[in-house]
């Protein structure tokens, strides 16, 4: 396990042993084939791990993944890549968007 200072420990939630967000492990004898590149398998795995970490670290209910609004948000971001997009902040969620 990585040694972290006390301040960082509160923000750190580890995934299962052997998972690595920065690079995926290659299986013995595998190569980077056209199929893997065309489906962005490594990027999909990283996105899934980041989403899982968000749920675990925030103690979000796993039911959120079944909500239509969460699915619609995810599908919108997939279909419309927005360069430099930053999700709404805590304050914007509770002030600007709440009354709408």
């Amino acid at each position: 396990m990585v040694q972290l200072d006390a301040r960082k420990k509160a923000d750190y939630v580890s995934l299962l042993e052997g998972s690595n967000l920065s690079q995926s492990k290659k299986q013995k004898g595998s190569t980077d084939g056209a199929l893997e590149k065309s489906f962005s398998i490594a990027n999909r795995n990283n996105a899934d791990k980041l989403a899982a970490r968000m749920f675990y670290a925030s103690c979000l209910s796993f039911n959120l993944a079944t909500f239509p609004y969460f699915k619609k948000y995810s599908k919108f971001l997939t279909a419309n890549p927005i360069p430099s997009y930053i999700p709404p902040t805590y304050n914007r969620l509770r002030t600007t968007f709440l009354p709408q």
Side-chain angles (χ1 to χ4, degrees), residues 5 29 39 65 84-85:
D5 64 328
F39 287 107
S84 303
Y85 173 73

Side-chain angles (χ1 to χ4, degrees), residues 15-91:
L15 293 176
L16 295 175
E17 187 68 31
S19 63
N20 186 350
L21 291 174
S22 63
Q23 65 186 36
S24 61
K25 291 184 178 181
K26 291 184 180 181
Q27 295 178 356
K28 188 175 181 179
S30 70
T31 60
D32 289 334
L35 186 62
E36 183 173 339
K37 288 179 184 176
S38 66
F39 287 107
S40 302
I41 293 171
N43 287 339
R44 287 173 186 252
N45 286 339
N46 284 341
D48 288 345
K49 288 177 184 178
L50 290 169
R53 181 165 286 164
M54 175 187 66
F55 276 83
Y56 305 151
S58 302
C59 298
L60 294 173
S61 170
F62 297 130
N63 288 329
L64 177 63
T66 65
F67 285 5
Y69 297 116
F70 178 76
K71 290 179 179 181
K72 189 174 184 177
Y73 174 72
S74 299
K75 287 179 182 179
F76 179 83
L77 290 177
T78 301
N80 304 289
I82 305 168
S84 303
Y85 173 73
I86 299 172
T89 62
Y90 170 84
N91 285 327

